[in-house]
Amino acid sequence: MLTNSIELLKDARKNKYAIPAPNFFDIDSARSYISVAEKVKQPIILSFAEAHSRILPLEEAALIGKYFAKKSSVPVVLHLDHGEHEEFLERAIELGFSSIMMDASYDNFEENIKRTQKMANYAHAHGISIEAEIGHVASSERIDFEDTTDNIYTSPNSAIEFVERTQVDSLAVSIGTSHGNYKGKPNIDFQLLKEISNSVSIPLVLHGGSSTGEENLRTCISNGINKINIFTDFCNAITSVIDSKNGLKFFDMKMESNKAMEDVLEQFYNVCQTGRN
Ligand SMILES: [Zn+2]
């Protein structure tokens, strides 16, 4: 069933677990993710990034997402990830997405608040949940894009003000994780995460979950993370199928790639559920 993320993430915060948010980019990835959620009988935040609309048009992503969500036996949130343009987000809502992320984290604090506030009002008027980001989660060695950026850590005081003024439902924080493959080892500021979690009353989101390491992810969850975004690990899993199964027939390679994505997501579910109340 298709739903927004408000009640799901509230429950995750209350019971100290996280919901995986895998990024889909074609029909195979969407089907693979949903099949894992059904297998483990847990909700899923099926995400599609605005930046990937050059690979899969938004209209097609909406049709794929709604199709699988409606026939799924578990709650499915169809989430528009990293929406950077208001018109794109409004179009996603019009097409049936049940949740959005307004990413104005490139803007200065006041501008980020202003744009997020406006989009939060629009989303809530349509029954849609909204996530936003303050600070900035770095992009290093991206698989899908060239551009790289540096981390700007989230401050607890700005988190309090941001949440109060924008009324968003969940907050993406920058605590040392990174989009894409890490250049070195992840260096996560758990103390900062704890302070932010104690400062605000809404669920917190971790971007750049891929390759962060299970122990790090578990510590993030026990310190207030309730949604974990995953993308690069799926691409890496497919790449290693292609690299290691040289000579495999095309259809077999597709099947093996889907299986590889499923294995990755199932492992994330294990991590997300450990320590659950
Ligand atoms: Zn992200």
Side-chain angles (χ1 to χ4, degrees):
M1 67 224 68
L2 181 65
T3 176
N4 70 34
S5 65
I6 296 176
E7 292 307 317
L8 293 176
L9 287 176
K10 267 188 195 162
D11 187 71
R13 180 172 161 104
K14 192 175 145 214
N15 292 304
K16 292 187 178 301
Y17 64 98
I19 304 175
N23 270 98
F24 74 98
F25 42 88
D26 61 8
I27 195 162
D28 279 67
S29 50
R31 187 194 316 104
S32 301
Y33 303 156
I34 296 277
S35 75
V36 177
E38 290 184 324
K39 182 179 170 192
V40 299
K41 298 186 170 59
Q42 292 298 324
I44 185 167
I45 300 175
L46 186 65
S47 304
F48 176 72
E50 176 179 333
H52 292 162
S53 60
R54 68 174 193 177
I55 301 160
L56 181 69
L58 179 64
E59 283 72 14
E60 293 177 24
L63 283 174
I64 292 170
K66 280 189 292 184
Y67 171 72
F68 287 117
K70 280 177 185 164
K71 72 187 198 99
S72 169
S73 59
V74 295
V76 177
V77 178
L78 182 57
H79 178 73
L80 197 286
D81 191 27
H82 286 288
E84 293 180 12
H85 302 92
E86 282 77 356
E87 319 78 66
F88 194 90
L89 288 165
E90 287 173 14
R91 178 77 181 128
I93 292 172
E94 198 181 308
L95 288 167
F97 277 73
S98 60
S99 178
I100 57 167
M101 178 200 185
M102 170 82 222
D103 183 1
S105 67
Y106 288 94
D107 291 329
N108 66 45
F109 187 62
E110 273 305 317
E111 185 65 12
N112 188 351
I113 288 187
K114 211 171 106 192
R115 292 180 63 199
T116 304
Q117 214 169 35
K118 212 170 160 199
M119 194 45 70
N121 289 338
Y122 185 87
H124 289 152
H126 290 78
I128 304 298
S129 45
I130 179 167
E131 169 191 333
E133 175 174 325
I134 49 164
H136 180 70
V137 179
S139 289
S140 61
E141 298 201 332
R142 295 285 296 259
I143 279 175
D144 46 347
F145 291 100
E146 302 276 298
D147 58 327
T148 59
T149 54
D150 291 326
N151 262 324
I152 302 167
Y153 285 74
T154 304
S155 93
N157 282 340
S158 56
I160 296 171
E161 186 181 347
F162 188 85
V163 170
E164 269 177 15
R165 289 174 61 190
T166 60
Q167 294 296 305
V168 289
D169 304 302
S170 59
L171 185 68
V173 292
S174 176
I175 53 169
T177 56
S178 175
H179 289 111
N181 286 312
Y182 284 91
K183 279 181 193 153
K185 275 195 165 171
N187 185 9
I188 300 168
D189 191 338
F190 297 113
Q191 187 53 36
L192 175 63
L193 170 60
K194 205 172 185 170
E195 282 173 35
I196 300 167
S197 178
N198 289 335
S199 306
V200 300
S201 58
I202 61 170
L204 301 181
V205 177
L206 189 77
H207 281 247
S210 290
S211 311
T212 298
E214 294 190 4
E215 207 43 54
N216 282 335
L217 291 176
R218 285 196 184 96
T219 313
C220 284
I221 295 165
S222 64
N223 284 295
I225 289 294
N226 301 120
K227 170 177 178 271
I228 296 181
N229 285 25
I230 317 143
F231 171 62
T232 304
D233 277 357
F234 300 116
C235 301
N236 289 338
I238 294 174
T239 305
S240 69
V241 168
I242 296 167
D243 288 348
S244 65
K245 310 273 171 120
N246 208 346
L248 208 63
K249 284 182 182 157
F250 178 67
F251 275 15
D252 292 335
M253 197 179 68
K254 260 177 93 72
M255 302 290 274
E256 293 239 5
S257 298
N258 292 346
K259 174 77 172 59
M261 285 191 283
E262 287 166 23
D263 291 346
V264 167
L265 184 56
E266 194 165 349
Q267 200 46 40
F268 268 95
Y269 267 106
N270 282 336
V271 174
C272 284
Q273 292 288 327
T274 38
R276 181 178 180 154
N277 282 348

